Amino acid sequence: MSTAVGEHDRLAAVARYASVRPLTDPSFDRIVALAARWFDAPIATVTIVDARRTWFRASCGLTGMTQVPRSPGLADSALLADGPYVVADALCDPAASAHPLVTGAPGVRFYAAVPLITGEGYRLGTVDVWDTRPRHADAEQLAALQDLAAVVMEELEGRLRAVSTVRAERRRRKRAEAESAESQVLAATLQRMLAPPQLPAVPGLELAAHLRTVGPRQIGGDFYDVFALPGGRWAFVMGDVCGKGAEAAALTALIRYTVRAQAQHDPQPVAVLSALNRTLLSAPVEGRPGFCTAMYGLLEREPICGPRAQRGFGLVLGSGGHPGAYRLRGDGTVDSIRPAGGMLVGALAEATFAERAVRLGPGDALLLYTDGLTEARTPDGSLFGEGGLARFLAAHTGCGASALTEEVTALLNDLGSAVCDDVAVLALTVPDTSPGDDAQVLPGPRQAERSGEGQGHD
């Protein structure tokens, strides 16, 4: 036999091929039947030789026997042959005469075999024929036996490739499932970063929001935030960043941090949007510039003007290329609040931004949204659009923020798959109630000079 190292490698190859199918294989029955017929011999087998045994993978004329000990003289000796191995009379052959198949049943006298050799040169076993009488084999018979051995080897190679492909696919699927599970955890973490888990309580104001993302990982590019400022004022921001996934989440985190930090220094909308524009231009995400649309608002509660006065809010809205907001008045009318001008944030160093002052009185509501809502398709295939949203809101005036957000959520559910982009909505409502004893006198709306375009007040 070969060296110890060579035998170790051969046995490893035997294990690979033997694991493809059970050691007895009916699919090789036709091959052994052809071998027995060609040699006019009573017995033919396909064997696999491991460290201790010779296994009969297929056999013709041999019943009740699946293995024999590995002994020199027959299959074990044939493994060493470069071509056909022939024993004309086993009783007269020093190596074969003591083999149990010779000394016992079935009493082998003639034996001819061809080794099964892999493409790497490892010898797995044999295709062989046996007879119980001494005889010789001619060249044509031995050539046919070599052809049959080649067919067996091709079949084994094909099966091994198929099994290897299936196993590799299973490994890839398991890795993909593991990565998917990890991605889902990451997506959930990033999704929590995109929207505050709970909106703050703003005295005299009802807030509600909804964020819907499309795509398997639920990591979108739409966001909102509401936070307190010194002096009893509040700020909010809604935006839509370019891209999705982890890149969008990183950009969203940067935007929210920048807006909050700038608002503590100078909360006016144009100042905040200008600072955000500079930050996005100077801090690319993943080596690429990030940009967004954004609507930023500064809120301040009106002072008490009399014992029965109802207080509203002064509001300054700043636009950075974002869709306008809608004000739903207490009298049932709806108007679009859209600062004139306002460019995309993070795209151009010379970008300018616009702001507009408005009032939210008792019973008024303000709805901010991202363009995934208006870009949805109606059942007839047409664009929902600004007109569709305005008509929808006109039918839902007088709702509180929570009820209004629920109505928009129901609308999105009705549109279903026609909503092809992320959608964020933020609703602010001033309840139409008389002030209570707990009302706090706050400074009036600040009328600082606006540095942007489209100033106005209504």
Side-chain angles (χ1 to χ4, degrees), residues 10 13 79 116-124 157:
R10 187 193 76 82
L79 290 180
L116 299 173
I117 305 175
T118 71
E120 296 86 359
Y122 300 121
R123 296 158 185 261
L124 307 177
E157 295 278 8

Side-chain angles (χ1 to χ4, degrees), residues 113-379:
V114 172
L116 299 173
I117 305 175
T118 71
E120 296 86 359
Y122 300 121
R123 296 158 185 261
L124 307 177
T126 61
V127 175
D128 41 30
V129 291
W130 313 352
D131 205 339
T132 55
R133 56 186 176 87
R135 53 179 290 186
H136 294 280
D138 59 36
E140 187 176 359
Q141 289 174 321
L142 295 177
L145 196 60
Q146 286 181 301
D147 290 339
L148 293 176
V151 171
V152 171
M153 201 64 240
E154 287 174 0
E155 177 69 13
L156 289 175
E157 295 278 8
R159 292 181 184 180
L160 184 61
R161 285 192 299 270
V163 169
S164 298
T165 299
V166 171
R167 289 173 179 169
E169 179 60 30
R170 287 175 180 170
R171 289 193 296 269
R172 285 193 294 270
R173 185 165 58 248
K174 288 182 179 179
R175 285 197 299 269
E177 290 171 353
E179 291 171 358
S180 176
E182 183 179 353
S183 296
Q184 289 175 5
V185 173
L186 177 59
T189 302
L190 292 175
Q191 188 67 13
R192 287 193 295 270
M193 293 172 58
L194 295 178
Q198 184 175 359
L199 290 169
V202 179
L205 195 68
E206 182 187 351
L207 298 176
H210 177 70
L211 179 65
R212 173 175 300 204
T213 55
V214 297
R217 295 192 175 183
Q218 301 294 302
I219 305 176
D222 293 8
F223 67 93
Y224 62 86
D225 196 10
V226 182
F227 54 93
L229 292 173
R233 292 181 291 179
W234 294 82
F236 59 84
V237 63
M238 171 165 285
D240 184 355
V241 307
C242 64
K244 292 186 181 295
E247 181 179 339
L251 187 57
T252 298
L254 175 63
I255 291 170
R256 288 177 60 186
Y257 171 81
T258 302
V259 168
R260 282 178 172 253
Q262 174 61 30
Q264 298 297 322
H265 173 67
D266 184 350
Q268 297 303 320
V270 165
V272 170
L273 293 173
S274 297
L276 179 59
N277 190 64
R278 292 191 297 270
T279 298
L280 295 184
L281 288 170
S282 62
V285 176
E286 299 292 334
R288 294 182 294 174
F291 54 86
C292 70
T293 66
M295 180 75 80
Y296 170 87
L298 178 61
L299 277 168
E300 190 166 8
R301 199 173 187 189
E302 294 175 340
I304 295 177
C305 299
R308 301 185 61 81
Q310 290 182 279
R311 300 161 64 186
F313 279 81
L315 167 65
V316 183
L317 272 180
S319 173
H322 197 77
Y326 279 95
R327 177 172 53 183
L328 289 69
R329 292 183 182 271
D331 62 8
T333 60
V334 175
D335 55 345
S336 175
I337 308 297
R338 187 184 302 272
M343 302 172 65
L344 198 65
V345 185
L348 297 172
E350 61 274 17
T352 59
F353 305 105
E355 60 185 38
R356 177 178 174 182
V358 297
R359 179 178 182 269
L360 291 181
D364 290 350
L366 186 75
L367 181 77
L368 296 99
Y369 60 94
T370 56
D371 60 10
L373 175 56
T374 52
E375 291 178 356
R377 295 284 173 177
T378 61

Side-chain angles (χ1 to χ4, degrees), residues 23 66 99 106 113 133 173 315 355 376 383 388 407:
L23 290 177
T66 59
H99 195 282
R133 56 186 176 87
R173 185 165 58 248
L315 167 65
E355 60 185 38
L383 194 68
E407 293 291 347

